[in-house]
Amino acid sequence: MLDPVTRPPGSVALRCSRALLSPWSRLSLLAVLLLSAATTVVLYKPQRLLAAGWPPQMSGAGAVVLFGLAYGLCTAAFVPRPILNLAAGALFGTQAGLASAVAGTVLGAGISFTLGRVLGQDALRPLLRGRWLKAADGQLSRHGFRSMLAIRLFPGVPFAAANYCAAVSRMGYAPFLLATGLGTIPNTAAYVIAGSEAGSPTSPAFLISMGFIVVSGLTAAIVAWHKRHSLRSAGPSGTGAVRGPGAEAERAPAGVGAGAARKP
């Protein structure tokens, strides 16, 4: 009679830990975190800052720092940045509001990038099989700083989507955060100025900031449409079809093929 096979102690715990730390388990955890954050935003409605204002007991530099921290958490939870930028300008003015908004933007981007890199990259990278997905991944991986800088300067790509796409790619932390900080300054400044000058909508500063927001939005839409049109029109004939040995044989002269066929 055969002896029963003895399993090493701790094998069940080891298998459970591997299952919990698997790429798809981490991706599921990321999905739960993002869904919880979005639900919290819907229930809490942080846009009430524009109507209710900042708590009066909080003021000075501490309030600016606290707003920057809250800004970063809110952007990681999918709160629209234009609302937060307008609130920063309305609450703290142009200079302090801009500093707090840019710092919060970098913080929120870093949180999203870390979550996507730790919890989602291993599971999502094998799914990058489409032509557009491969092209975007290659662009972000090879030219991370300038690609992300262009994305931040032209606000056609949603902020959260850009964060998680960059996290799935092989872009490093430093170029991602630096490009985010520099690239978001113009658009963020326009919203902050608009928020700080909202009480005087006919002032030159308010009109210039609103004009910049409109022009940058239209430019982003045109660039996105042109890029999509060029990618759609670049089919196999435009990129060069891959030819196999059979295609080379078809292009060979008829005499050469016939002579090769007569050889023993």
Side-chain angles (χ1 to χ4, degrees):
M1 189 173 181
L2 297 177
D3 295 333
V5 178
T6 58
R7 296 182 178 179
S11 60
V12 176
L14 181 60
R15 287 197 299 270
C16 291
S17 63
R18 288 178 178 176
L20 292 175
L21 296 177
S22 65
W24 286 103
S25 296
R26 284 179 286 161
L27 182 62
S28 301
L29 177 60
L30 176 61
V32 171
L33 289 175
L34 297 182
L35 181 60
S36 302
T39 304
T40 303
V41 168
V42 173
L43 295 177
Y44 180 68
K45 298 179 180 179
Q47 60 270 22
R48 290 182 299 179
L49 276 174
L50 291 175
W54 192 254
Q57 62 270 21
M58 298 182 183
S59 60
V64 175
V65 173
L66 183 60
F67 182 86
L69 295 175
Y71 188 113
L73 295 176
C74 288
T75 53
F78 305 109
V79 176
R81 288 182 59 249
I83 294 177
L84 298 173
N85 293 333
L86 291 173
L91 295 174
F92 305 110
T94 300
Q95 296 181 356
L98 179 60
S100 182
V102 172
T105 298
V106 176
L107 175 62
I111 294 173
S112 300
F113 188 87
T114 302
L115 290 175
R117 177 62 55 88
V118 174
L119 300 178
Q121 187 186 47
D122 292 341
L124 294 178
R125 280 203 65 82
L127 303 180
L128 300 178
R129 297 175 182 176
R131 179 163 57 92
W132 288 11
L133 293 176
K134 286 185 177 180
D137 175 66
Q139 185 71 19
L140 290 173
S141 299
R142 292 190 299 268
H143 311 290
F145 175 78
R146 70 183 188 185
S147 299
M148 186 53 57
L149 184 64
I151 290 174
R152 300 307 193 191
L153 287 173
F154 296 98
V157 180
F159 184 74
N163 295 336
Y164 290 106
C165 288
V168 174
S169 71
R170 293 188 174 91
M171 181 188 300
Y173 273 89
F176 171 77
L177 295 178
L178 183 59
T180 297
L182 295 177
T184 55
I185 288 177
N187 192 262
T188 302
Y191 278 97
V192 170
I193 294 173
S196 63
E197 299 292 333
S200 54
T202 58
S203 63
F206 181 84
L207 295 177
I208 292 173
S209 62
M210 292 303 299
F212 180 85
I213 293 171
V214 172
V215 171
S216 62
L218 291 176
T219 303
I222 294 173
V223 171
W225 178 86
H226 178 73
K227 189 67 175 177
R228 180 180 179 183
H229 180 72
S230 61
L231 288 175
R232 180 177 295 179
S233 61
S237 59
T239 56
V242 178
R243 299 181 179 272
E248 296 295 334
E250 291 178 1
R251 293 192 303 173
V256 175
R262 287 195 295 269
K263 289 183 178 180

